[in-house]
Amino acid sequence: MKTYIKHLTLASSLLCVHSVWANIASQCQTDFNIIHFVPDSTDVGFWKQFTLASTAAAQDLQLNYQVISLPKNTRNRYVFVNAIQQKLAQSPKPDLVIGYFYLHGEVSILRFFEQKQIPFISVNTSLPTATILQTGQPREKFTYWLAHISPDDTNAGYQLAQYLIRDDTSNNTIAVIAGQAQSMVSENRIKGLTNYSQQHAISLLPTIHVDWSAVNGYSVTQKILSRVKETNIIWTAAASIGVGSAEAIQELPTEQQNNITIGSFDWTPQAIEAIKTKQISVSYGGHFLEGAWALVLALDYLNGLDFVDETGSTITTRLHPLTQDNLTQVSELVTGNGWNKNDFKKLSKCFNPSLVHYNFNVQSLLKQR
């Protein structure tokens, strides 16, 4: 009888604790209007995966969420601000906006949000020192700029070089195909590659910039291989470029094909297929989840749970390698077939009052596969 009473008392206590947590979580307000501006995501590249992940997170968090895609031919700071003004003219006014910066448009965009008193979280691209001197860090000069979330592209560029070259620093001829010349993403990834090559006294072929497309990745690779036939490593700044390089290599004799290794960035369906068929060896990514992380932070912030004391206002995410070893897990995550295995509420302190630290790590999602 005593044992029964003890067990009953313990069970009752646990139910009371659960009831308290459930009551707190039920008080988590979710009817916020959040607008998210992204580049045109009608393709199947990085921004498509970014949007799919963000939409899944918004549904889990029960937010009123709207994605607005800006066509490539109209992407500039004037169009961005004008698009927001048009949304503000409609009802309801957004409680928070998530977006990315345009080159040289950071100050005007931040000034706009400050004047309208709309919280803003910027994502995806790291900011150059010259820009930070103008804008300050989030919440310094512009108080409504809550946070900036961006990948550590420099470290990822270093890691990709390390993976491709491994311990053999001799007898390699390394081609480098970067993104657009003015892209901070491409520039930072190249910086990481350069750091690695200088540390290990490795020579690189001259960097060639393309417009991120597979078409140009293909044509440039053809030219490289025709001029430098001994090329055996191709470091590419994006999976789209890497896929184009792989297509060019398929036109070579089989023996020569087997001697060339390609590495890239981003977890896209194209990258997954290329790794599955062993045309690309590795692709560093996972940062397409930054929009989802931003939504979690936004929900908590709008519920009075400011994240800045834990995360700071500048948040850097780490890119992880996609290889044959984790291909199945990443494939489920990227294609969206396994989104129902994830509950983004688990990452929110508002929905989980007992949560001490945010766990914005793509590896944690992969473990749920």
Side-chain angles (χ1 to χ4, degrees), residues 7-83:
H7 287 173
L8 181 60
T9 302
L10 176 60
S12 299
S13 299
L14 291 174
L15 285 173
C16 289
V17 171
H18 177 76
S19 178
V20 171
W21 286 358
N23 183 53
I24 295 174
S26 67
Q27 297 175 8
C28 188
Q29 183 180 348
T30 62
D31 58 344
F32 297 110
N33 298 302
I34 296 180
I35 295 177
H36 193 162
F37 289 90
V38 299
D40 185 12
S41 57
T42 56
D43 58 12
V44 291
F46 170 80
W47 286 106
K48 179 67 173 181
Q49 306 311 127
F50 188 99
T51 303
L52 287 173
S54 300
T55 301
Q59 291 174 347
D60 280 347
L61 298 171
Q62 302 170 9
L63 293 165
N64 297 325
Y65 178 66
Q66 182 180 9
V67 176
I68 298 179
S69 299
L70 299 179
K72 293 181 180 180
N73 61 344
T74 60
R75 290 182 203 161
N76 58 64
R77 61 185 183 275
Y78 305 109
V79 172
F80 185 82
V81 172
N82 183 59

Side-chain angles (χ1 to χ4, degrees), residues 351-369:
F351 279 107
N352 300 276
S354 62
L355 186 64
V356 178
H357 298 293
Y358 289 109
N359 183 21
F360 295 150
N361 188 333
V362 68
Q363 299 287 27
S364 64
L365 292 182
L366 292 179
K367 289 178 181 178
Q368 298 180 33
R369 302 292 96 202

Side-chain angles (χ1 to χ4, degrees), residues 58-132:
Q59 291 174 347
D60 280 347
L61 298 171
Q62 302 170 9
L63 293 165
N64 297 325
Y65 178 66
Q66 182 180 9
V67 176
I68 298 179
S69 299
L70 299 179
K72 293 181 180 180
N73 61 344
T74 60
R75 290 182 203 161
N76 58 64
R77 61 185 183 275
Y78 305 109
V79 172
F80 185 82
V81 172
N82 183 59
I84 297 170
Q85 287 176 326
Q86 290 179 358
K87 291 304 300 180
L88 291 180
Q90 304 172 9
S91 181
K93 172 184 175 181
D95 295 292
L96 185 143
V97 171
I98 300 173
Y100 64 110
F101 287 121
Y102 295 91
L103 188 64
H104 306 310
E106 297 86 357
V107 173
S108 60
I109 290 171
L110 291 173
R111 187 178 292 123
F112 175 83
F113 286 120
E114 200 74 11
Q115 292 171 347
K116 298 297 182 180
Q117 298 184 343
I118 300 175
F120 175 63
I121 297 178
S122 51
V123 295
N124 187 244
T125 305
S126 57
L127 300 175
T129 302
T131 298
I132 295 175

